[in-house]
Each structure stands twice: as C-alpha cells, then as structure tokens.
Amino acid sequence: QVQLVESGGGLVQPGGSLRLSCVASGFTFRRNAMNWYRQGPGKERELVAGITSAGTTKYADSVQGRFTISRDNGKNTVYLQMNSLKPEDTAVYYCQAPNFRSWGQGTQVTVSS
C-alpha cells in the first residue's frame, strides 16, 4: 500500500525557482527517511537530497546551496525547494521511501529559456 505522489514540476527559466511536493501514504511517515532522486535524459538516476526521520539533511554536490529538502510530518509530505535552477537540473524528479524501496510516478522539471 506504500504510495508516493509527486507534484510541482513544470517549465521554469534558468535562475528560477520551483517547489516539489511528495505526499506519502501506507507507512509511518514520521519514522522514515525520505529521498529525492532525479533522472535526466540519457543519464543515470541520481540521489539529489535526503532527510532522516530526525530532520538531518544531505545533498548532492551539484545542488548544494541551491536546493533544500524539508518535511512536514503532519501532512505526510516531503518537499524539495529548488532555487537558482539551471538547465542541467532538467529531469524527472522522484521521491523515495528507502526503507520500502518504493517510488512515486515522478514529476517533470524542465529548465529552459
């Protein structure tokens, strides 16, 4: 029953911002770490950011200082705030509950003029 639903993607200009959301269900959200991954065209899926149940965060070097992962346990939601977006950030973004090896359907982010 683990279910992850991403939203918030879209088309944005370089330098712009976007906020992704992932609503989780089917498990005890507050006790689980959550990750954001992305997969660009012709590229491997890569870990972008993660947050533990205690709120400790980690980021890929490529997004450090630009992206912020956060969570709202009352809403069973993990967020990815993306600022100073670059064309290289173009990808499908997925959330993951690593303890369940489960993925959402993904949300497309396109950074282009």
Side-chain angles (χ1 to χ4, degrees):
Q1 192 197 354
V2 172
Q3 191 168 2
L4 304 168
V5 181
E6 300 96 336
S7 63
L11 175 63
V12 64
Q13 293 184 337
S17 296
L18 217 51
R19 189 194 195 197
L20 307 184
S21 299
C22 173
V23 179
S25 61
F27 62 99
T28 306
F29 179 82
R30 68 183 183 276
R31 294 187 178 182
N32 280 269
M34 295 294 296
N35 295 326
W36 283 100
Y37 281 76
R38 68 185 181 188
Q39 187 165 24
K43 297 184 179 297
E44 302 170 339
R45 186 172 296 190
E46 64 173 338
L47 177 64
V48 174
I51 185 166
T52 70
S53 60
T56 302
T57 59
K58 63 179 184 295
Y59 301 93
D61 289 344
S62 58
V63 308
Q64 182 73 45
R66 299 189 296 120
F67 290 12
T68 302
I69 188 172
S70 62
R71 65 191 298 155
D72 185 335
N73 290 336
K75 297 180 179 178
N76 280 13
T77 300
V78 61
Y79 303 96
L80 187 67
Q81 178 68 47
M82 305 184 295
N83 299 325
S84 302
L85 283 162
K86 305 174 180 179
E88 310 93 85
D89 297 318
T90 295
V92 178
Y93 285 71
Y94 301 89
C95 63
Q96 181 210 38
N99 286 340
F100 300 95
R101 302 295 188 264
S102 186
W103 303 87
Q105 83 288 347
T107 186
Q108 175 71 50
V109 173
T110 303
V111 185
S112 176
S113 298

